[in-house]
Amino acid sequence: MKRKIVFLTGAGISQESGIPTFRDSIDGLWENNKVEDVATVSGVFSDINRSETFFNSLKQKISECSPNAAHIAIADLAKDSENFEVIVLTQNVDDLHRRSGTPVEKTIELHGNIFRNRCRSHPDISGTDFKEARGCSYTGAHYDENWKFPQACPRCHKPATFSPDVVLFGEALDFSALSDAEYHASTADLFIQIGTSMEVFPVAALIESVPISKRAYIDIEKPEKNGIYEYEFIGKAAEITPKVCNMIKEQKL
Ligand code: NAD
C-alpha cells in the first residue's frame, strides 16, 4: 500500500535558497515598498509603475535563486511513486517546488505563482496548475524582461487585468485549490509542515483536518504550542528535510 505523504510548505523552506521569509521582510519593506502598497489589491492597482517595478524586480531576484536540498529531497521522494504518493501544498509563490522536479499535478500553489499571470476580471478561473492554466490564466515565461504590468488579457482583452497570479491581501484563494488541499490534508498518512508560521488563514486551518498522530513539524523555531505535533524537527529546512525524507523511505517515520 502506498503511503500518502503531504507536505505543507511556507517561506522558511525557501529561505536557504536566498528568498527572505515574510517575517524577515515585514520589519521593513519589500524592495523598499510598504507591504500594503505592493501586496494588497488597492495598493497594486493604485500605482501601476510602482507595481511593475516591484514585480519585475522580485521576479528577477527569485529567478536567480535555485531550489535547495529541502525542495530536492521532496521531489526525490515523489519520484518513488510505487511506494509513496507525495503531495505538496505550498504557500510560496516562488516556483521552486516545480523547478526542483516535484510534478505539477502533485503541487498545489495555494497563494499562486509569481511567474504566472492571471486575468483579474475572471478571478474564479485562475489556473492552479502551471502547465494547464485555465481560463484567462497564462503560463508565463520564467523571467521576461519585456514583461509589462498590467497587460490587457489576451483572452478577454480587458485592459490592465492581466497581472501576477499571486493571492494579494484582500483576495480570496482559489476555491478548488483550497478544497483539494483540504482533501489531501485529511487523507494524509503523514502531514509534514515545513517553514511556515501558520499565521496566514485559511491555509493555517488545514492542519485541523490532520490528527496529531500524523503531524510532523520542521522549522528553525520551536512550535508556539506544545503537544500539537507527533514529530518535531528543529533546524534548517535544507538540513532536516533530506534526513526526514530518508527516515520515511527507511520506514522509520
Ligand atoms: P513566515 O515568514 O510567516 O514564516 C516563516 C517560517 O519559516 C517561520 O516559522 C520561521 O521560523 C521559519 N524559517 C525561517 N527560515 C527557516 C529555515 N531556513 N528552515 C526552516 N524554517 C525556517 O512564512 P509563511 O508562514 O510562509 O507565511 C508568509 C506568507 O508570505 C505566505 O503566504 C507566502 O505566500 C508569502 N511569502 C512567500 C515567499 C516565497 O514564495 N518564497 C516568501 C515570503 C513570503
Side-chain angles (χ1 to χ4, degrees), residues 32 45 47 49 52 54 58 74 112-113 126-127 130 143 151 162 167 178 203 210 217:
N32 296 321
F45 288 93
D47 186 337
N49 288 337
E52 181 179 306
F54 170 74
L58 198 57
I74 293 171
N113 183 317
S126 92
F130 202 88
Y143 173 63
Q151 302 172 353
F162 201 53
V167 177
L178 188 60
V203 172
V210 185
Y217 173 96

Side-chain angles (χ1 to χ4, degrees), residues 9-16 19-25 30 62 68 90-96 111-112 167 169 193-200 203 217-222 235-238:
T9 66
I13 196 172
S14 297
Q15 190 265 342
E16 290 156 90
I19 303 174
T21 64
F22 191 61
R23 278 190 186 174
D24 290 341
S25 327
W30 269 351
I62 295 177
N68 64 49
T90 187
Q91 298 168 84
N92 296 343
V93 298
D94 56 26
D95 202 30
L96 292 183
H111 291 167
V167 177
F169 288 108
Q193 172 191 320
I194 307 179
T196 167
S197 58
M198 298 293 259
E199 280 169 5
V200 181
V203 172
Y217 173 96
I218 300 176
D219 202 289
I220 46 170
E221 287 178 17
K222 285 189 176 165
K236 290 187 168 182

